[in-house]
Amino acid sequence: MSTPAPAAESPPAEQRSILLDVAFLRLWTGATASGLATWALPFVLGLAVFDRTLSATDLGLLLAARTVGFLAAVPVAGVLADRHSRRGVVLWAGLAAGAAAPVLAAGLGRSLLLMTAAAAVAGAGQGACRPAYQALTAEVVDAGRRQQANAAMTLAVRVTTLVGPSLAALLAVFLDTWALLWGIGLLWLAAACVPGPGARPVAADDAPRPSPGTGGASFLAEFTEGVREARRHPWFLAGLAALTAVIATGYSATGVALPMVSRDEYGTEVVLAGAMTAYTAGALGGALLIARWRPRSPGRAALAGLACYGFAPLSLVFPVHPVVVMAAYAVAGIGIELFNVPWFTAAQREVAPDRLARVSSLDFLLSYGLAPVGLAVIAPAIDAFGATAVLAACALVCFAAPATAALVPSTRTFSTERGSGDARRGPG
């Protein structure tokens, strides 16, 4: 009698595609829907300027209100997501942003005040989702596949950055601005309802958890607890300082100086469009690379990737061929994802699970919060000192900030160097 062949063994979890995990696929789908809604909104409101329903000043006010709502909601959401269900925060944040979209449509051409309030609510929903999604990923995905999961999440961000405005432009051929705003509301509804529940995080210590929402002092105490948790990780503080510096300078060069240089030095918008497309393509490639690559010193490799953003402003300093500018932006795109994915994965691994959302909110609050400052300062600085000097300074900061962060010993591995068990315990 022949012996039956043994059944094929299932591949280890680490070798299976993360997109075959139904729980993560639901989370990824929700995050993709929220990304599409986020990137489509400014474009759709821009269409209202094009058809003269809104003025350019009105558009600036609405986008500013959305940014204020975002920054106000991020720390609040960090506290709520650590003290309540992260899934619940995603649900209510998505519903709030979804409800704001038809209100924007209702106010279009009728009430700028109503639209401004709705834009602030939409921004708050977007901001509340960010730390909650970050913490929920750690609940849904096992530790061995989180780098792959974070790469998939950042791929969704990059694809939506590219596809969101383009899809909105295509739909604008057939639908008016009012209908497009309702479509954005439906995307937020999907972002709210599609993700599934995660496991509740284990408390970092045996101390009783304070009752949330009992007043301003309680909220401040809970947020301060998250700040204390961040301070326990020198690699996090160093990396966050470098990231904030790069965004405030390098991103500002992209947002303000690149259009100016494209117009004044090259006389065509092709350089602007080509550089931004190259950056997105590079970021997609970087996310695909880091999904599988495991460098020996992940922190140092990530900081080196972050420093690559310096090539973007540097390429605008000298009169080079447009292809060189596009190549520099592609390198910057690759580098930013070589930083982002290990950065998010390290935070999910090292930070106390019941404080992860607050630490993530601190990350978004500083890195995103200071970006408008850089955007506001760089144009007057160019007028005062000249584009060459300002762009060279931006490039220098982009190179120097990650290099300085790399001097902190724990940034080599993005790990608190006191043993893996101690790195997960709270103080006391």
Side-chain angles (χ1 to χ4, degrees), residues 10-40:
S10 300
E14 292 82 356
Q15 296 179 9
R16 295 198 303 268
S17 171
I18 192 65
L19 292 179
L20 297 178
D21 185 318
V22 175
F24 175 75
L25 184 58
R26 290 178 63 181
L27 181 66
W28 182 86
T29 301
T32 302
S34 72
L36 279 171
T38 296
W39 289 104

mmCIF file of all heavy atoms in Angstrom, residues 10-40:
data_model
loop_
_atom_site.group_PDB
_atom_site.id
_atom_site.type_symbol
_atom_site.label_atom_id
_atom_site.label_comp_id
_atom_site.label_asym_id
_atom_site.label_seq_id
_atom_site.Cartn_x
_atom_site.Cartn_y
_atom_site.Cartn_z
ATOM 1 N N SER A 10 0.973 25.012 5.371
ATOM 2 C CA SER A 10 0.667 26.406 5.097
ATOM 3 C C SER A 10 1.905 27.247 5.317
ATOM 4 O O SER A 10 2.683 26.987 6.241
ATOM 5 C CB SER A 10 -0.456 26.900 6.030
ATOM 6 O OG SER A 10 -1.622 26.148 5.831
ATOM 7 N N PRO A 11 2.148 28.231 4.496
ATOM 8 C CA PRO A 11 3.312 29.089 4.688
ATOM 9 C C PRO A 11 3.200 29.848 5.990
ATOM 10 O O PRO A 11 2.094 30.135 6.459
ATOM 11 C CB PRO A 11 3.257 30.033 3.482
ATOM 12 C CG PRO A 11 1.829 30.029 3.055
ATOM 13 C CD PRO A 11 1.314 28.676 3.370
ATOM 14 N N PRO A 12 4.329 30.159 6.612
ATOM 15 C CA PRO A 12 4.283 30.951 7.840
ATOM 16 C C PRO A 12 3.549 32.259 7.594
ATOM 17 O O PRO A 12 3.504 32.779 6.476
ATOM 18 C CB PRO A 12 5.767 31.197 8.173
ATOM 19 C CG PRO A 12 6.505 30.136 7.429
ATOM 20 C CD PRO A 12 5.702 29.836 6.210
ATOM 21 N N ALA A 13 2.997 32.816 8.674
ATOM 22 C CA ALA A 13 2.226 34.062 8.544
ATOM 23 C C ALA A 13 3.061 35.157 7.923
ATOM 24 O O ALA A 13 2.565 35.974 7.150
ATOM 25 C CB ALA A 13 1.705 34.491 9.914
ATOM 26 N N GLU A 14 4.376 35.194 8.265
ATOM 27 C CA GLU A 14 5.224 36.263 7.766
ATOM 28 C C GLU A 14 5.393 36.201 6.257
ATOM 29 O O GLU A 14 5.759 37.178 5.622
ATOM 30 C CB GLU A 14 6.606 36.213 8.438
ATOM 31 C CG GLU A 14 6.591 36.555 9.916
ATOM 32 C CD GLU A 14 6.182 35.377 10.789
ATOM 33 O OE1 GLU A 14 5.843 34.309 10.228
ATOM 34 O OE2 GLU A 14 6.206 35.530 12.023
ATOM 35 N N GLN A 15 5.167 34.988 5.638
ATOM 36 C CA GLN A 15 5.394 34.831 4.204
ATOM 37 C C GLN A 15 4.118 35.043 3.394
ATOM 38 O O GLN A 15 4.171 35.178 2.191
ATOM 39 C CB GLN A 15 5.980 33.444 3.925
ATOM 40 C CG GLN A 15 7.354 33.226 4.538
ATOM 41 C CD GLN A 15 7.900 31.836 4.262
ATOM 42 O OE1 GLN A 15 7.332 31.084 3.472
ATOM 43 N NE2 GLN A 15 9.001 31.484 4.905
ATOM 44 N N ARG A 16 2.967 35.048 4.048
ATOM 45 C CA ARG A 16 1.715 35.252 3.341
ATOM 46 C C ARG A 16 1.499 36.742 3.082
ATOM 47 O O ARG A 16 1.836 37.581 3.910
ATOM 48 C CB ARG A 16 0.533 34.693 4.134
ATOM 49 C CG ARG A 16 0.580 33.184 4.307
ATOM 50 C CD ARG A 16 -0.792 32.656 4.690
ATOM 51 N NE ARG A 16 -1.306 33.280 5.903
ATOM 52 C CZ ARG A 16 -1.129 32.796 7.120
ATOM 53 N NH1 ARG A 16 -0.431 31.687 7.293
ATOM 54 N NH2 ARG A 16 -1.649 33.415 8.171
ATOM 55 N N SER A 17 0.901 37.043 1.946
ATOM 56 C CA SER A 17 0.613 38.445 1.640
ATOM 57 C C SER A 17 -0.332 39.006 2.680
ATOM 58 O O SER A 17 -1.335 38.384 3.039
ATOM 59 C CB SER A 17 0.001 38.563 0.242
ATOM 60 O OG SER A 17 -0.467 39.876 0.037
ATOM 61 N N ILE A 18 -0.029 40.216 3.125
ATOM 62 C CA ILE A 18 -0.867 40.839 4.142
ATOM 63 C C ILE A 18 -2.256 41.125 3.579
ATOM 64 O O ILE A 18 -3.246 41.178 4.328
ATOM 65 C CB ILE A 18 -0.188 42.132 4.654
ATOM 66 C CG1 ILE A 18 -0.896 42.640 5.917
ATOM 67 C CG2 ILE A 18 -0.183 43.200 3.579
ATOM 68 C CD1 ILE A 18 -0.780 41.742 7.088
ATOM 69 N N LEU A 19 -2.369 41.274 2.255
ATOM 70 C CA LEU A 19 -3.656 41.566 1.648
ATOM 71 C C LEU A 19 -4.560 40.340 1.584
ATOM 72 O O LEU A 19 -5.723 40.443 1.159
ATOM 73 C CB LEU A 19 -3.468 42.154 0.251
ATOM 74 C CG LEU A 19 -2.848 43.556 0.214
ATOM 75 C CD1 LEU A 19 -2.688 44.039 -1.214
ATOM 76 C CD2 LEU A 19 -3.685 44.555 1.013
ATOM 77 N N LEU A 20 -4.059 39.161 1.995
ATOM 78 C CA LEU A 20 -4.897 37.973 2.128
ATOM 79 C C LEU A 20 -5.534 37.886 3.508
ATOM 80 O O LEU A 20 -6.346 37.001 3.759
ATOM 81 C CB LEU A 20 -4.074 36.704 1.840
ATOM 82 C CG LEU A 20 -3.503 36.589 0.425
ATOM 83 C CD1 LEU A 20 -2.680 35.311 0.293
ATOM 84 C CD2 LEU A 20 -4.622 36.629 -0.611
ATOM 85 N N ASP A 21 -5.151 38.780 4.394
ATOM 86 C CA ASP A 21 -5.719 38.847 5.730
ATOM 87 C C ASP A 21 -6.982 39.713 5.663
ATOM 88 O O ASP A 21 -6.914 40.908 5.401
ATOM 89 C CB ASP A 21 -4.690 39.452 6.691
ATOM 90 C CG ASP A 21 -5.151 39.440 8.133
ATOM 91 O OD1 ASP A 21 -6.323 39.752 8.382
ATOM 92 O OD2 ASP A 21 -4.326 39.142 9.014
ATOM 93 N N VAL A 22 -8.145 39.101 5.899
ATOM 94 C CA VAL A 22 -9.416 39.805 5.715
ATOM 95 C C VAL A 22 -9.516 41.002 6.650
ATOM 96 O O VAL A 22 -9.974 42.091 6.257
ATOM 97 C CB VAL A 22 -10.602 38.846 5.937
ATOM 98 C CG1 VAL A 22 -11.925 39.603 5.880
ATOM 99 C CG2 VAL A 22 -10.583 37.740 4.892
ATOM 100 N N ALA A 23 -9.075 40.842 7.917
ATOM 101 C CA ALA A 23 -9.180 41.944 8.879
ATOM 102 C C ALA A 23 -8.347 43.135 8.411
ATOM 103 O O ALA A 23 -8.802 44.284 8.461
ATOM 104 C CB ALA A 23 -8.731 41.485 10.260
ATOM 105 N N PHE A 24 -7.124 42.862 7.936
ATOM 106 C CA PHE A 24 -6.299 43.970 7.454
ATOM 107 C C PHE A 24 -6.843 44.526 6.156
ATOM 108 O O PHE A 24 -6.800 45.749 5.929
ATOM 109 C CB PHE A 24 -4.845 43.534 7.256
ATOM 110 C CG PHE A 24 -4.003 44.630 6.649
ATOM 111 C CD1 PHE A 24 -3.606 45.716 7.420
ATOM 112 C CD2 PHE A 24 -3.660 44.602 5.307
ATOM 113 C CE1 PHE A 24 -2.869 46.753 6.866
ATOM 114 C CE2 PHE A 24 -2.922 45.629 4.746
ATOM 115 C CZ PHE A 24 -2.520 46.706 5.531
ATOM 116 N N LEU A 25 -7.363 43.665 5.281
ATOM 117 C CA LEU A 25 -7.896 44.142 4.010
ATOM 118 C C LEU A 25 -9.050 45.112 4.242
ATOM 119 O O LEU A 25 -9.165 46.132 3.546
ATOM 120 C CB LEU A 25 -8.359 42.964 3.162
ATOM 121 C CG LEU A 25 -8.851 43.289 1.743
ATOM 122 C CD1 LEU A 25 -7.771 43.996 0.948
ATOM 123 C CD2 LEU A 25 -9.300 42.028 1.029
ATOM 124 N N ARG A 26 -9.866 44.846 5.247
ATOM 125 C CA ARG A 26 -10.955 45.772 5.572
ATOM 126 C C ARG A 26 -10.381 47.108 6.067
ATOM 127 O O ARG A 26 -10.861 48.183 5.673
ATOM 128 C CB ARG A 26 -11.866 45.159 6.643
ATOM 129 C CG ARG A 26 -12.693 43.985 6.154
ATOM 130 C CD ARG A 26 -13.529 43.392 7.273
ATOM 131 N NE ARG A 26 -14.501 44.354 7.795
ATOM 132 C CZ ARG A 26 -15.331 44.080 8.794
ATOM 133 N NH1 ARG A 26 -15.298 42.883 9.385
ATOM 134 N NH2 ARG A 26 -16.193 45.005 9.219
ATOM 135 N N LEU A 27 -9.357 47.039 6.909
ATOM 136 C CA LEU A 27 -8.730 48.261 7.413
ATOM 137 C C LEU A 27 -8.085 49.038 6.270
ATOM 138 O O LEU A 27 -8.224 50.270 6.177
ATOM 139 C CB LEU A 27 -7.686 47.896 8.468
ATOM 140 C CG LEU A 27 -6.943 49.056 9.134
ATOM 141 C CD1 LEU A 27 -7.910 49.882 9.977
ATOM 142 C CD2 LEU A 27 -5.799 48.532 9.996
ATOM 143 N N TRP A 28 -7.395 48.328 5.397
ATOM 144 C CA TRP A 28 -6.716 48.959 4.256
ATOM 145 C C TRP A 28 -7.726 49.617 3.311
ATOM 146 O O TRP A 28 -7.492 50.724 2.808
ATOM 147 C CB TRP A 28 -5.905 47.898 3.513
ATOM 148 C CG TRP A 28 -5.120 48.398 2.353
ATOM 149 C CD1 TRP A 28 -3.869 48.933 2.376
ATOM 150 C CD2 TRP A 28 -5.524 48.391 0.978
ATOM 151 N NE1 TRP A 28 -3.473 49.264 1.101
ATOM 152 C CE2 TRP A 28 -4.463 48.938 0.232
ATOM 153 C CE3 TRP A 28 -6.669 47.963 0.316
ATOM 154 C CZ2 TRP A 28 -4.523 49.081 -1.151
ATOM 155 C CZ3 TRP A 28 -6.741 48.108 -1.060
ATOM 156 C CH2 TRP A 28 -5.676 48.661 -1.775
ATOM 157 N N THR A 29 -8.852 48.951 3.096
ATOM 158 C CA THR A 29 -9.887 49.515 2.226
ATOM 159 C C THR A 29 -10.443 50.803 2.827
ATOM 160 O O THR A 29 -10.647 51.802 2.119
ATOM 161 C CB THR A 29 -11.017 48.498 2.018
ATOM 162 O OG1 THR A 29 -10.477 47.302 1.441
ATOM 163 C CG2 THR A 29 -12.091 49.054 1.094
ATOM 164 N N GLY A 30 -10.688 50.794 4.139
ATOM 165 C CA GLY A 30 -11.176 52.003 4.790
ATOM 166 C C GLY A 30 -10.176 53.135 4.710
ATOM 167 O O GLY A 30 -10.540 54.294 4.437
ATOM 168 N N ALA A 31 -8.895 52.817 4.940
ATOM 169 C CA ALA A 31 -7.857 53.846 4.866
ATOM 170 C C ALA A 31 -7.733 54.397 3.447
ATOM 171 O O ALA A 31 -7.513 55.601 3.255
ATOM 172 C CB ALA A 31 -6.517 53.270 5.334
ATOM 173 N N THR A 32 -7.874 53.526 2.456
ATOM 174 C CA THR A 32 -7.797 53.985 1.063
ATOM 175 C C THR A 32 -8.960 54.913 0.738
ATOM 176 O O THR A 32 -8.786 55.946 0.069
ATOM 177 C CB THR A 32 -7.801 52.781 0.110
ATOM 178 O OG1 THR A 32 -6.689 51.921 0.426
ATOM 179 C CG2 THR A 32 -7.684 53.227 -1.330
ATOM 180 N N ALA A 33 -10.159 54.562 1.219
ATOM 181 C CA ALA A 33 -11.327 55.425 0.983
ATOM 182 C C ALA A 33 -11.132 56.789 1.641
ATOM 183 O O ALA A 33 -11.443 57.832 1.043
ATOM 184 C CB ALA A 33 -12.589 54.749 1.520
ATOM 185 N N SER A 34 -10.598 56.795 2.869
ATOM 186 C CA SER A 34 -10.368 58.084 3.540
ATOM 187 C C SER A 34 -9.307 58.888 2.812
ATOM 188 O O SER A 34 -9.394 60.119 2.723
ATOM 189 C CB SER A 34 -9.957 57.853 5.002
ATOM 190 O OG SER A 34 -8.649 57.328 5.107
ATOM 191 N N GLY A 35 -8.287 58.206 2.267
ATOM 192 C CA GLY A 35 -7.255 58.907 1.508
ATOM 193 C C GLY A 35 -7.807 59.534 0.236
ATOM 194 O O GLY A 35 -7.475 60.672 -0.105
ATOM 195 N N LEU A 36 -8.653 58.791 -0.477
ATOM 196 C CA LEU A 36 -9.272 59.347 -1.682
ATOM 197 C C LEU A 36 -10.111 60.577 -1.349
ATOM 198 O O LEU A 36 -10.054 61.597 -2.044
ATOM 199 C CB LEU A 36 -10.144 58.284 -2.349
ATOM 200 C CG LEU A 36 -9.434 57.254 -3.232
ATOM 201 C CD1 LEU A 36 -10.407 56.157 -3.634
ATOM 202 C CD2 LEU A 36 -8.850 57.918 -4.479
ATOM 203 N N ALA A 37 -10.881 60.485 -0.272
ATOM 204 C CA ALA A 37 -11.715 61.615 0.129
ATOM 205 C C ALA A 37 -10.865 62.820 0.521
ATOM 206 O O ALA A 37 -11.187 63.967 0.177
ATOM 207 C CB ALA A 37 -12.619 61.207 1.290
ATOM 208 N N THR A 38 -9.769 62.549 1.228
ATOM 209 C CA THR A 38 -8.902 63.640 1.692
ATOM 210 C C THR A 38 -8.271 64.387 0.532
ATOM 211 O O THR A 38 -8.266 65.628 0.493
ATOM 212 C CB THR A 38 -7.806 63.072 2.614
ATOM 213 O OG1 THR A 38 -8.420 62.516 3.784
ATOM 214 C CG2 THR A 38 -6.823 64.147 3.020
ATOM 215 N N TRP A 39 -7.738 63.653 -0.433
ATOM 216 C CA TRP A 39 -7.027 64.302 -1.535
ATOM 217 C C TRP A 39 -7.962 64.857 -2.590
ATOM 218 O O TRP A 39 -7.587 65.762 -3.346
ATOM 219 C CB TRP A 39 -6.035 63.305 -2.154
ATOM 220 C CG TRP A 39 -4.895 63.025 -1.254
ATOM 221 C CD1 TRP A 39 -4.683 61.905 -0.504
ATOM 222 C CD2 TRP A 39 -3.802 63.897 -0.946
ATOM 223 N NE1 TRP A 39 -3.544 62.024 0.239
ATOM 224 C CE2 TRP A 39 -2.975 63.237 -0.014
ATOM 225 C CE3 TRP A 39 -3.438 65.182 -1.366
ATOM 226 C CZ2 TRP A 39 -1.815 63.808 0.503
ATOM 227 C CZ3 TRP A 39 -2.290 65.748 -0.851
ATOM 228 C CH2 TRP A 39 -1.492 65.055 0.062
ATOM 229 N N ALA A 40 -9.184 64.321 -2.667
ATOM 230 C CA ALA A 40 -10.120 64.829 -3.675
ATOM 231 C C ALA A 40 -10.749 66.150 -3.255
ATOM 232 O O ALA A 40 -11.078 66.981 -4.112
ATOM 233 C CB ALA A 40 -11.216 63.794 -3.936
#
